[in-house]
Amino acid sequence: MNLFDISIPHMSRTLGQVPVWLDKAQAYADQRKFDVGVLLTARLAPDQWHFTRQIQALVLGPLRLANLLRGQAPADNFDLEPTIAAVRASVGETREKLDKLRSEEFAGAEARVIPLPFLPGKGLQANDFVQQFALPNFYFHAVTAYSILRHNGVDVGKPDFLAPLAFRDL
């Protein structure tokens, strides 16, 4: 396994659950007769990002990681409009880009040192970057987005977060 194998497919899989969350958020808003935008701009705490910004981090995380591991410039930041359509489109486009990536493109990535823009002059070995920063950061934002919906009454549960499991008969 290389750094691609332990990161990008797993991030894409979690991103694939966001439409499930959005479906449930829309159904909840429709049932309770309020604008779903309330959920898309909801946050857990005043100093945390709102739901849509959490999803923006989920979209950018794997794209940036893929570029950095291949020695390319990180994906550009953007503002995601807090609408169901915009969030769905962004997640879908990101998954399409991630699905086109191949493990072979990441050969030798473990030798790279990834610069940390929030700590000028510092970086992490690529393996450490993936395991100590990129994956934990990605899942922090995934859990936070999920938790915002759950906190606001949307009927999401652990299966909605985990995605379908590849069960086998014993």
Side-chain angles (χ1 to χ4, degrees):
M1 262 202 239
N2 68 23
L3 293 176
F4 168 84
D5 298 320
I6 67 168
S7 60
I8 302 300
H10 303 287
M11 294 166 125
S12 182
R13 185 169 190 260
T14 297
L15 273 173
Q17 289 307 104
V18 173
V20 173
W21 307 347
L22 295 173
D23 289 346
K24 289 191 171 201
Q26 184 68 64
Y28 181 73
D30 291 347
Q31 176 191 25
R32 300 287 182 147
K33 299 185 182 355
F34 67 87
D35 181 2
V36 73
V38 171
L39 296 171
L40 299 179
T41 57
R43 58 186 80 223
L44 290 177
D47 64 342
Q48 279 192 314
W49 291 342
H50 57 75
F51 177 84
T52 302
R53 183 62 179 91
Q54 301 291 344
I55 299 301
Q56 182 179 330
L58 290 183
V59 167
L60 281 171
L63 295 175
R64 285 183 168 169
L65 178 61
N67 284 3
L68 290 168
L69 290 177
R70 293 178 298 157
Q72 300 172 2
D76 291 333
N77 198 3
F78 65 94
D79 287 326
L80 184 54
E81 183 183 348
T83 67
I84 293 275
V87 173
R88 281 186 192 283
S90 185
V91 168
E93 290 166 13
T94 298
R95 291 200 72 217
E96 285 177 17
K97 289 176 186 176
L98 297 176
D99 288 347
K100 291 178 184 174
L101 298 173
R102 296 292 167 250
S103 183
E104 304 80 46
E105 297 175 57
F106 295 78
E110 48 283 329
R112 295 189 189 289
V113 174
I114 308 296
L116 302 174
F118 53 88
L119 286 175
K122 300 287 183 187
L124 289 168
Q125 194 72 34
N127 189 52
D128 293 332
F129 183 81
V130 169
Q131 293 184 39
Q132 296 173 16
F133 180 75
L135 286 172
N137 188 59
F138 177 83
Y139 287 111
F140 170 85
H141 291 292
V143 168
T144 303
Y146 165 91
S147 296
I148 289 168
L149 295 180
R150 176 87 182 200
H151 174 75
N152 281 281
V154 177
D155 184 25
V156 289
K158 191 182 280 188
D160 299 314
F161 186 87
L162 293 179
L165 301 174
F167 292 114
R168 301 279 189 260
D169 290 333
L170 300 177

